[in-house]
Amino acid sequence: MSEESERLAKALIEFREAEGISVRELAHRTRLSRATIMFHESDREGPPTPFAARRFEEVLGWAPGSIPTASRETTDLELPPDSSAVTG
């Protein structure tokens, strides 16, 4: 487990314990799936997506951008990098 993944896992578990809430309740608060919560609380390594990282930062009270992410997200206004060959 990377240092960042371990830090996030520990923070999520400690937050749930301090709040006295379940994985299900944390999923509700973050608007993420229970599977996503359990994945990031487990000993599996892998940074969250930018969307999940923002949700975790909000619920944990961390500064935006403080959680390293897996990859860059696309928005409705931009196309994925390899879609340039697809037109019309």
Side-chain angles (χ1 to χ4, degrees):
M1 178 180 277
S2 76
E3 188 175 312
E4 289 298 325
S5 295
E6 187 174 346
R7 175 178 161 251
L8 178 59
K10 184 178 179 182
L12 292 171
I13 292 166
E14 288 177 354
F15 176 81
R16 281 196 314 102
E17 289 174 351
E19 293 285 312
I21 61 173
S22 65
V23 169
R24 182 181 183 141
E25 176 60 22
L26 182 56
H28 176 74
R29 290 185 188 188
T30 58
R31 298 180 300 263
L32 298 170
S33 71
R34 285 181 286 172
T36 297
I37 302 299
M38 292 186 304
F39 178 84
H40 290 293
E41 284 189 355
S42 73
D43 61 357
R44 296 181 196 123
E45 187 168 339
T49 64
F51 179 81
R54 283 193 303 271
R55 298 297 184 213
F56 290 144
E57 290 163 351
E58 289 172 8
V59 79
L60 294 171
W62 292 3
S66 62
I67 298 175
T69 60
S71 64
R72 191 171 82 79
E73 283 182 323
T74 59
T75 67
D76 291 340
L77 301 176
E78 61 185 27
L79 296 173
D82 52 10
S83 65
S84 60
V86 180
T87 57

